[in-house]
């Protein structure tokens, strides 16, 4: 942070002499401390997982959901400033409505990525605004009968407005561990996307979130899992059902050596959520 | 100009109104008031439904204590009985608009909130909590006249108790001209029932026997039973003679105990 | 810079004479680019239309039907147009009248359904899913609002379904004027003349409808659709039939045909056409 105090970090729309926009970089700091968020593609869909740190014992288990739906076929989660994320999701919903009204079919995920990244990028241009303090992972699958191609798509959008497509991606506090795990998974010789089922992907995401939580062990957390898959949810973005959820959590716990421990929050959550 | 002249195309215009028939009747007694209507809704020669509600009881919450005294209570003595007859879509919209105003009036009056300054009320006067009939009537005038150039096509009648606890009926024309009356009939059966009520409630054309039609019969309040008899007779009769009236009769009675309702079947033909 | 081309200015009068606003109805003010015509261009009549929708309540639900035809005047223009639409989990909306207005309503209903789903997924217990009564209230307000702008949606709608919380059957009507009503049996258009007498024979009150079985209700609707096909020239043999039941949900068949017809009476009808008595 050599440039702190130089004045170039006070505003958007002003570059520092070495060509950096510090406000945007600071926004990324907000993300780095956010809760771990993972997205993973599978053969016919995408899966999302969020590590939800329990900031307060008074919070109701299973409520205060973090994963959201942008359109019927697009799921979204983010780490960083939660209200910023809510706002971006609202914008996404407007874009989805707009696209539907204009073209008579649901918006392709790639088109959504273009529109959201343009929106986020615009918040890096003016000194009257601040950038979004979130990294957003979103994706889904649009069925051919709705004008899509049955191919799952997954993106991550950063505070500077750049948006890339991924096979699997993570952001937030535990991103290093999570990304390393994803890389390990995807580059292994036995791995093949064309055979990875949504259920398997859910297991992997759950495991990775639990693993990434190891560095942050002193805090309790709830796991949130959602998916959007042709075979499992008919192309709709939905929370994973109780049985799948419980199984994934059990396996994740045993994978990180937590099996049947005293972390009962997750079961409570699902019981409550029904 | 005839269409052949061709300079002006003929305009097919959308008619935003329809006549949904039915009759509405209000009578004020000394310490009670009645508002009654048939429950048929029709258009042209078709009966849309045999059970529609043209009268809304707009009431503060009915307490358990009131229910204890009489189980069939549907409103308090502070209620406004709100009836509309004519174009039902406008009737429903007007009712909704008034209900909204009535609720905001209650909220703005802060009526049900204990202030902690009740001790200042030395004479222990009952605080005016709810919209009086006088205020309700004036408010309805504003609603109706507000659409003077695209009127609510309805005949409106309100019934309730005035600030002295006496029965009152207010009646309105479609653009908000209104009057407090002893009784009024609106809608399809108005021309059939109104003269009957003039005679039976206001004793029009009744003279004291033996005075050779020089001394009018003195006006006096009718009892509730007498009024209910009149209402039922009026509706059974108008059902016979008017095609848009029938199916069912809904009567609301308001007095110091609150509002209760009665239903009687009418001929469905 | 002001990017509105109208603010860019025009050649000065001194050089070219006054600008002729009569050309192509060019607007002469910057505020309102008025259409040049004083006629309102709102709907004054329906163009492509769907005929009757009919429905009746029974013990545990509602049966509703409408044919699959869209007419252009007396021309049978489009076949296979569905006029019964599922909204939410327990509601079917039947729409008669102008088909383009119907399609407009469908985009609105689709949006309504989606916005409801944002915060109501099936795994959370604070679900407040769309009930037939919500959808009806929304549509009734919309129809009255549009008629009050003198720009009506030229339709009559029947909203049918069951309340998923109470299990109570729901059936209500609203039309282009915003006139609404509830009844044990409801029909739009010709159906109100031809089907309602048959349906009221089955159930003339809520009490009677609460005794009606699904089979009785279905037969009543099927018979009514037959009568409508006999007598309504703008109807088709092929129709859709939906049953909304509190226990079994929505059963929807979009390919039903009128059955057991007898046209024997036709030969006895005299007095018009090319027939010589």
């Amino acid at each position: 942070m050599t440039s702190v105090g130089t004045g170039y970090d006070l505003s958007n729309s002003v570059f520092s002499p070495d060509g950096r926009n510090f406000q945007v970089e600071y926004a990324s700091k907000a993300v780095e401390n956010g809760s771990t968020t993972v997205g993973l593609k599978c053969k016919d869909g995408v899966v999302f997982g969020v590590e939800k740190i329990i900031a307060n014992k008074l919070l109701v288990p299973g409520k205060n959901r973090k994963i959201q739906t942008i359109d019927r076929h697009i799921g979204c989660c983010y780490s960083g400033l939660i209200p910023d994320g809510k706002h971006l999701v609202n914008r996404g919903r407007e874009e989805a409505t707009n696209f539907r009204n204009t073209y008579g079919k649901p918006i392709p995920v790639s088109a959504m990525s273009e529109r959201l990244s343009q929106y986020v990028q615009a918040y890096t241009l003016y000194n009257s605004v601040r950038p979004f303090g979130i990294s957003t992972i979103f994706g889904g699958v649009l069925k051919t009968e709705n004008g899509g191609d049955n191919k799952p798509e997954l993106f991550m959008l950063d505070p500077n407005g750049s948006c890339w497509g991924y096979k699997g991606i993570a952001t937030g506090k535990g991103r290093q561990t999570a990304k390393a795990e994803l890389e390990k998974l995807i580059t292994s010789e036995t791995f093949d996307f064309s055979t990875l089922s949504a259920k398997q992907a859910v297991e992997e995401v759950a495991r990775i979130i639990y693993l990434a939580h190891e560095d942050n062990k002193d805090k309790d957390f709830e796991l949130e899992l959602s998916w959007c898959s042709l075979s499992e949810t008919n192309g709709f973005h939905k929370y994973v059902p109780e049985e799948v959820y419980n199984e994934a959590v059990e396996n994740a716990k045993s994978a990180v050596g937590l099996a049947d421990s005293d972390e009962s929050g997750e079961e409570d959550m699902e019981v409550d959520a029904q | 100009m005839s269409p052949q002249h061709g300079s002006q195309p003929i305009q097919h215009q959308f008619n935003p109104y329809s006549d949904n028939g039915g009759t509405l009747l209000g009578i004020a007694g000394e310490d009670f008031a009645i508002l009654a209507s048939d429950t048929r809704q029709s258009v042209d020669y078709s009966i849309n439904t045999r059970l529609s509600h043209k009268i809304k009881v707009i009431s503060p919450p009915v307490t358990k204590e009131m229910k204890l005294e009489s189980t069939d209570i549907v409103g308090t003595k502070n209620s406004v009985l709100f009836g509309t007859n004519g174009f039902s879509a406008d009737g429903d919209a007007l009712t909704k608009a008034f209900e909204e105003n009535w609720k905001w009036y209650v909220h703005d009056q802060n009526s049900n909130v204990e202030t902690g300054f009740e001790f200042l009320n030395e004479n222990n006067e009952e605080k005016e909590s709810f919209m009086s009939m006088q205020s309700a009537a004036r408010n309805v005038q504003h609603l109706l006249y507000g659409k003077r150039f695209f009127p609510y096509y309805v005949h409106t009648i309100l019934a309730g108790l005035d600030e002295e606890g006496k029965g009152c009926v207010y009646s309105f024309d479609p653009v908000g001209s209104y009057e407090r009356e002893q009784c009024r009939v609106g809608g399809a059966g108005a021309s059939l029932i109104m003269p009957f009520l003039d005679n039976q409630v206001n004793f029009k054309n009744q003279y004291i026997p033996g005075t050779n039609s020089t001394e009018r019969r003195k006006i006096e309040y009718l009892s509730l039973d007498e009024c209910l008899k009149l209402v039922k007779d009026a509706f059974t009769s108008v059902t016979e003679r008017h095609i848009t009236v029938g199916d069912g009769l809904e009567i609301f009675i308001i007095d110091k105990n609150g509002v209760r309702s009665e239903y009687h079947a009418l001929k469905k033909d | 810079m002001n990017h509105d081309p109208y603010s860019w200015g025009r050649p000065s009068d001194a050089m070219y004479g006054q600008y002729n606003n009569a050309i192509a109805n060019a607007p002469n003010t910057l505020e309102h680019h008025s259409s040049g015509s004083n006629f309102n261009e709102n709907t004054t009549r329906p163009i492509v239309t769907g005929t009757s929708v009919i429905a009746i309540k029974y013990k545990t639900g509602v049966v509703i039907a409408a044919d699959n035809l869209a007419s252009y005047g007396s021309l049978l223009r489009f076949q296979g147009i569905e006029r019964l639409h599922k909204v939410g989990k327990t509601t079917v909306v039947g729409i008669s009248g102008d088909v383009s207005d119907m399609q407009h309503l469908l985009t609105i209903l689709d949006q309504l359904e989606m916005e409801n789903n944002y915060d109501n997924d099936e795994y959370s217990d604070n679900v407040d899913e769309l009930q037939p009564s919500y959808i009806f209230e929304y549509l009734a307000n919309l129809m009255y609002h549009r008629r009050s702008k003198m720009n009506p949606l030229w339709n009559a709608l029947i909203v049918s379904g069951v309340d998923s919380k109470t299990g109570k059957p729901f059936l209500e009507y609203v039309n282009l004027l915003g006139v609404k009503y509830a009844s044990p049996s409801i029909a739009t258009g010709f159906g109100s003349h031809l089907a309602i007498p048959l349906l009221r024979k089955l159930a003339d009150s809520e009490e009677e409808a609460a005794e009606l079985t699904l089979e009785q209700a279905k037969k009543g609707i099927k018979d009514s659709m037959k009568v409508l096909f006999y007598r309504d020239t703008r109807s088709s043999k092929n129709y859709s039939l939906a049953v909304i039941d509190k226990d079994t949900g929505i059963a929807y068949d979009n390919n039903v045909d009128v059955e057991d017809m007898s046209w024997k009476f036709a030969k006895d009808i005299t007095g018009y056409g090319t027939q010589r008595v």
Side-chain angles (χ1 to χ4, degrees), chain C residues 12-39:
Chain C
S12 73
D13 289 357
M15 193 169 293
Y16 298 102
Q18 204 180 27
Y19 191 83
N20 186 356
N21 284 299
I23 297 171
N25 287 321
N28 51 11
T29 58
L30 292 181
E31 288 118 49
H32 262 289
H33 309 168
S34 74
S35 62
S37 153
N38 286 322
F39 295 112

mmCIF file of all heavy atoms in Angstrom, chain C residues 12-39:
data_model
loop_
_atom_site.group_PDB
_atom_site.id
_atom_site.type_symbol
_atom_site.label_atom_id
_atom_site.label_comp_id
_atom_site.label_asym_id
_atom_site.label_seq_id
_atom_site.Cartn_x
_atom_site.Cartn_y
_atom_site.Cartn_z
ATOM 1 N N SER C 12 -32.287 28.927 -40.485
ATOM 2 C CA SER C 12 -32.967 30.145 -40.046
ATOM 3 C C SER C 12 -34.035 30.562 -41.036
ATOM 4 O O SER C 12 -33.911 30.339 -42.244
ATOM 5 C CB SER C 12 -31.959 31.277 -39.872
ATOM 6 O OG SER C 12 -31.551 31.712 -41.144
ATOM 7 N N ASP C 13 -35.116 31.120 -40.507
ATOM 8 C CA ASP C 13 -36.220 31.550 -41.351
ATOM 9 C C ASP C 13 -35.767 32.559 -42.395
ATOM 10 O O ASP C 13 -36.241 32.568 -43.528
ATOM 11 C CB ASP C 13 -37.323 32.174 -40.482
ATOM 12 C CG ASP C 13 -38.022 31.108 -39.658
ATOM 13 O OD1 ASP C 13 -37.667 29.919 -39.828
ATOM 14 O OD2 ASP C 13 -38.913 31.453 -38.865
ATOM 15 N N ALA C 14 -34.814 33.432 -41.998
ATOM 16 C CA ALA C 14 -34.371 34.494 -42.897
ATOM 17 C C ALA C 14 -33.787 33.927 -44.182
ATOM 18 O O ALA C 14 -34.005 34.466 -45.277
ATOM 19 C CB ALA C 14 -33.326 35.362 -42.195
ATOM 20 N N MET C 15 -33.093 32.834 -44.063
ATOM 21 C CA MET C 15 -32.419 32.307 -45.243
ATOM 22 C C MET C 15 -33.340 31.432 -46.105
ATOM 23 O O MET C 15 -33.377 31.547 -47.312
ATOM 24 C CB MET C 15 -31.202 31.505 -44.813
ATOM 25 C CG MET C 15 -30.278 31.179 -45.979
ATOM 26 S SD MET C 15 -28.728 30.517 -45.405
ATOM 27 C CE MET C 15 -28.010 31.917 -44.591
ATOM 28 N N TYR C 16 -34.127 30.581 -45.418
ATOM 29 C CA TYR C 16 -34.897 29.599 -46.202
ATOM 30 C C TYR C 16 -36.415 29.794 -46.139
ATOM 31 O O TYR C 16 -37.168 29.023 -46.700
ATOM 32 C CB TYR C 16 -34.576 28.179 -45.722
ATOM 33 C CG TYR C 16 -33.113 27.817 -45.915
ATOM 34 C CD1 TYR C 16 -32.207 27.841 -44.860
ATOM 35 C CD2 TYR C 16 -32.644 27.454 -47.185
ATOM 36 C CE1 TYR C 16 -30.877 27.499 -45.040
ATOM 37 C CE2 TYR C 16 -31.317 27.117 -47.370
ATOM 38 C CZ TYR C 16 -30.438 27.142 -46.296
ATOM 39 O OH TYR C 16 -29.136 26.802 -46.486
ATOM 40 N N GLY C 17 -36.857 30.832 -45.434
ATOM 41 C CA GLY C 17 -38.293 30.959 -45.238
ATOM 42 C C GLY C 17 -38.727 30.063 -44.087
ATOM 43 O O GLY C 17 -37.942 29.264 -43.584
ATOM 44 N N GLN C 18 -39.987 30.229 -43.695
ATOM 45 C CA GLN C 18 -40.446 29.488 -42.533
ATOM 46 C C GLN C 18 -40.506 27.985 -42.807
ATOM 47 O O GLN C 18 -40.847 27.543 -43.890
ATOM 48 C CB GLN C 18 -41.826 29.997 -42.110
ATOM 49 C CG GLN C 18 -42.075 29.709 -40.657
ATOM 50 C CD GLN C 18 -43.428 30.206 -40.206
ATOM 51 O OE1 GLN C 18 -44.357 30.312 -40.999
ATOM 52 N NE2 GLN C 18 -43.527 30.502 -38.923
ATOM 53 N N TYR C 19 -40.176 27.219 -41.770
ATOM 54 C CA TYR C 19 -40.203 25.773 -41.891
ATOM 55 C C TYR C 19 -41.644 25.309 -42.071
ATOM 56 O O TYR C 19 -42.555 25.745 -41.372
ATOM 57 C CB TYR C 19 -39.619 25.138 -40.619
ATOM 58 C CG TYR C 19 -39.367 23.665 -40.746
ATOM 59 C CD1 TYR C 19 -38.194 23.185 -41.333
ATOM 60 C CD2 TYR C 19 -40.309 22.747 -40.305
ATOM 61 C CE1 TYR C 19 -37.969 21.837 -41.470
ATOM 62 C CE2 TYR C 19 -40.098 21.391 -40.435
ATOM 63 C CZ TYR C 19 -38.920 20.943 -41.015
ATOM 64 O OH TYR C 19 -38.704 19.597 -41.150
ATOM 65 N N ASN C 20 -41.864 24.452 -43.021
ATOM 66 C CA ASN C 20 -43.214 23.982 -43.285
ATOM 67 C C ASN C 20 -43.533 22.759 -42.428
ATOM 68 O O ASN C 20 -43.105 21.653 -42.718
ATOM 69 C CB ASN C 20 -43.353 23.642 -44.772
ATOM 70 C CG ASN C 20 -44.793 23.277 -45.103
ATOM 71 O OD1 ASN C 20 -45.656 23.216 -44.219
ATOM 72 N ND2 ASN C 20 -45.053 23.068 -46.390
ATOM 73 N N ASN C 21 -44.308 23.015 -41.383
ATOM 74 C CA ASN C 21 -44.640 21.918 -40.480
ATOM 75 C C ASN C 21 -45.617 20.920 -41.083
ATOM 76 O O ASN C 21 -45.828 19.846 -40.541
ATOM 77 C CB ASN C 21 -45.213 22.463 -39.178
ATOM 78 C CG ASN C 21 -44.118 23.021 -38.312
ATOM 79 O OD1 ASN C 21 -43.210 22.297 -37.920
ATOM 80 N ND2 ASN C 21 -44.185 24.304 -38.024
ATOM 81 N N ALA C 22 -46.244 21.303 -42.168
ATOM 82 C CA ALA C 22 -47.229 20.397 -42.763
ATOM 83 C C ALA C 22 -46.565 19.185 -43.396
ATOM 84 O O ALA C 22 -47.195 18.160 -43.625
ATOM 85 C CB ALA C 22 -48.042 21.144 -43.812
ATOM 86 N N ILE C 23 -45.269 19.298 -43.677
ATOM 87 C CA ILE C 23 -44.580 18.177 -44.306
ATOM 88 C C ILE C 23 -44.503 17.000 -43.347
ATOM 89 O O ILE C 23 -43.983 17.115 -42.242
ATOM 90 C CB ILE C 23 -43.152 18.577 -44.740
ATOM 91 C CG1 ILE C 23 -43.228 19.675 -45.790
ATOM 92 C CG2 ILE C 23 -42.391 17.371 -45.277
ATOM 93 C CD1 ILE C 23 -41.891 20.288 -46.113
ATOM 94 N N ALA C 24 -45.049 15.910 -43.763
ATOM 95 C CA ALA C 24 -44.991 14.665 -42.992
ATOM 96 C C ALA C 24 -45.413 14.845 -41.538
ATOM 97 O O ALA C 24 -44.905 14.177 -40.647
ATOM 98 C CB ALA C 24 -43.575 14.087 -43.061
ATOM 99 N N ASN C 25 -46.356 15.771 -41.302
ATOM 100 C CA ASN C 25 -46.837 16.013 -39.947
ATOM 101 C C ASN C 25 -45.713 16.298 -38.972
ATOM 102 O O ASN C 25 -45.728 15.849 -37.828
ATOM 103 C CB ASN C 25 -47.648 14.820 -39.435
ATOM 104 C CG ASN C 25 -48.995 14.773 -40.105
ATOM 105 O OD1 ASN C 25 -49.615 15.816 -40.330
ATOM 106 N ND2 ASN C 25 -49.431 13.573 -40.449
ATOM 107 N N ALA C 26 -44.723 17.042 -39.449
ATOM 108 C CA ALA C 26 -43.579 17.318 -38.574
ATOM 109 C C ALA C 26 -44.036 18.092 -37.349
ATOM 110 O O ALA C 26 -44.866 18.992 -37.451
ATOM 111 C CB ALA C 26 -42.535 18.127 -39.332
ATOM 112 N N PRO C 27 -43.525 17.723 -36.193
ATOM 113 C CA PRO C 27 -43.929 18.435 -34.990
ATOM 114 C C PRO C 27 -43.331 19.829 -34.977
ATOM 115 O O PRO C 27 -42.223 20.034 -35.488
ATOM 116 C CB PRO C 27 -43.339 17.591 -33.858
ATOM 117 C CG PRO C 27 -42.214 16.851 -34.486
ATOM 118 C CD PRO C 27 -42.582 16.646 -35.915
ATOM 119 N N ASN C 28 -44.067 20.808 -34.431
ATOM 120 C CA ASN C 28 -43.521 22.144 -34.393
ATOM 121 C C ASN C 28 -43.145 22.581 -32.988
ATOM 122 O O ASN C 28 -42.816 23.720 -32.751
ATOM 123 C CB ASN C 28 -44.483 23.150 -35.030
ATOM 124 C CG ASN C 28 -45.857 23.013 -34.440
ATOM 125 O OD1 ASN C 28 -46.034 22.330 -33.439
ATOM 126 N ND2 ASN C 28 -46.831 23.659 -35.056
ATOM 127 N N THR C 29 -43.213 21.655 -32.065
ATOM 128 C CA THR C 29 -42.714 21.970 -30.726
ATOM 129 C C THR C 29 -41.717 20.907 -30.320
ATOM 130 O O THR C 29 -41.668 19.831 -30.897
ATOM 131 C CB THR C 29 -43.845 21.990 -29.683
ATOM 132 O OG1 THR C 29 -44.464 20.721 -29.706
ATOM 133 C CG2 THR C 29 -44.832 23.082 -29.966
ATOM 134 N N LEU C 30 -40.939 21.273 -29.327
ATOM 135 C CA LEU C 30 -39.951 20.306 -28.872
ATOM 136 C C LEU C 30 -40.526 19.369 -27.829
ATOM 137 O O LEU C 30 -40.052 18.271 -27.633
ATOM 138 C CB LEU C 30 -38.752 21.053 -28.269
ATOM 139 C CG LEU C 30 -37.929 21.831 -29.267
ATOM 140 C CD1 LEU C 30 -36.771 22.506 -28.568
ATOM 141 C CD2 LEU C 30 -37.410 20.898 -30.361
ATOM 142 N N GLU C 31 -41.588 19.842 -27.149
ATOM 143 C CA GLU C 31 -42.086 19.056 -26.013
ATOM 144 C C GLU C 31 -42.736 17.756 -26.442
ATOM 145 O O GLU C 31 -42.294 16.679 -26.123
ATOM 146 C CB GLU C 31 -43.083 19.869 -25.184
ATOM 147 C CG GLU C 31 -42.425 20.961 -24.376
ATOM 148 C CD GLU C 31 -42.926 22.320 -24.786
ATOM 149 O OE1 GLU C 31 -44.151 22.492 -24.875
ATOM 150 O OE2 GLU C 31 -42.099 23.207 -25.033
ATOM 151 N N HIS C 32 -43.814 17.890 -27.202
ATOM 152 C CA HIS C 32 -44.546 16.677 -27.525
ATOM 153 C C HIS C 32 -44.556 16.412 -29.012
ATOM 154 O O HIS C 32 -45.045 17.213 -29.782
ATOM 155 C CB HIS C 32 -45.975 16.776 -26.987
ATOM 156 C CG HIS C 32 -46.109 16.073 -25.684
ATOM 157 N ND1 HIS C 32 -46.080 14.711 -25.580
ATOM 158 C CD2 HIS C 32 -46.232 16.563 -24.426
ATOM 159 C CE1 HIS C 32 -46.193 14.390 -24.311
ATOM 160 N NE2 HIS C 32 -46.282 15.474 -23.586
ATOM 161 N N HIS C 33 -44.008 15.292 -29.382
ATOM 162 C CA HIS C 33 -44.055 14.910 -30.777
ATOM 163 C C HIS C 33 -45.432 14.321 -31.017
ATOM 164 O O HIS C 33 -45.617 13.109 -31.038
ATOM 165 C CB HIS C 33 -42.969 13.875 -31.075
ATOM 166 C CG HIS C 33 -41.619 14.322 -30.595
ATOM 167 N ND1 HIS C 33 -40.559 13.483 -30.526
ATOM 168 C CD2 HIS C 33 -41.165 15.519 -30.161
ATOM 169 C CE1 HIS C 33 -39.496 14.141 -30.064
ATOM 170 N NE2 HIS C 33 -39.845 15.374 -29.833
ATOM 171 N N SER C 34 -46.434 15.183 -31.142
ATOM 172 C CA SER C 34 -47.809 14.686 -31.188
ATOM 173 C C SER C 34 -48.033 13.886 -32.466
ATOM 174 O O SER C 34 -47.397 14.113 -33.484
ATOM 175 C CB SER C 34 -48.790 15.852 -31.135
ATOM 176 O OG SER C 34 -48.786 16.516 -32.365
ATOM 177 N N SER C 35 -48.958 12.939 -32.351
ATOM 178 C CA SER C 35 -49.104 11.963 -33.427
ATOM 179 C C SER C 35 -49.729 12.566 -34.687
ATOM 180 O O SER C 35 -49.830 11.906 -35.708
ATOM 181 C CB SER C 35 -49.963 10.803 -32.950
ATOM 182 O OG SER C 35 -51.249 11.303 -32.633
ATOM 183 N N GLY C 36 -50.219 13.784 -34.598
ATOM 184 C CA GLY C 36 -50.783 14.413 -35.779
ATOM 185 C C GLY C 36 -52.240 14.053 -35.988
ATOM 186 O O GLY C 36 -52.927 14.647 -36.784
ATOM 187 N N SER C 37 -52.690 13.055 -35.233
ATOM 188 C CA SER C 37 -54.079 12.655 -35.341
ATOM 189 C C SER C 37 -54.731 12.844 -33.989
ATOM 190 O O SER C 37 -54.116 12.599 -32.957
ATOM 191 C CB SER C 37 -54.153 11.204 -35.781
ATOM 192 O OG SER C 37 -55.342 10.628 -35.310
ATOM 193 N N ASN C 38 -55.977 13.294 -34.005
ATOM 194 C CA ASN C 38 -56.638 13.500 -32.730
ATOM 195 C C ASN C 38 -57.374 12.274 -32.239
ATOM 196 O O ASN C 38 -57.891 12.247 -31.147
ATOM 197 C CB ASN C 38 -57.607 14.675 -32.834
ATOM 198 C CG ASN C 38 -56.835 15.977 -32.872
ATOM 199 O OD1 ASN C 38 -55.836 16.113 -32.183
ATOM 200 N ND2 ASN C 38 -57.282 16.890 -33.706
ATOM 201 N N PHE C 39 -57.455 11.251 -33.099
ATOM 202 C CA PHE C 39 -58.163 10.052 -32.674
ATOM 203 C C PHE C 39 -57.315 9.273 -31.707
ATOM 204 O O PHE C 39 -56.109 9.125 -31.898
ATOM 205 C CB PHE C 39 -58.492 9.178 -33.878
ATOM 206 C CG PHE C 39 -59.459 9.840 -34.804
ATOM 207 C CD1 PHE C 39 -59.068 10.241 -36.072
ATOM 208 C CD2 PHE C 39 -60.765 10.083 -34.381
ATOM 209 C CE1 PHE C 39 -59.959 10.877 -36.921
ATOM 210 C CE2 PHE C 39 -61.652 10.712 -35.230
ATOM 211 C CZ PHE C 39 -61.255 11.101 -36.504
#
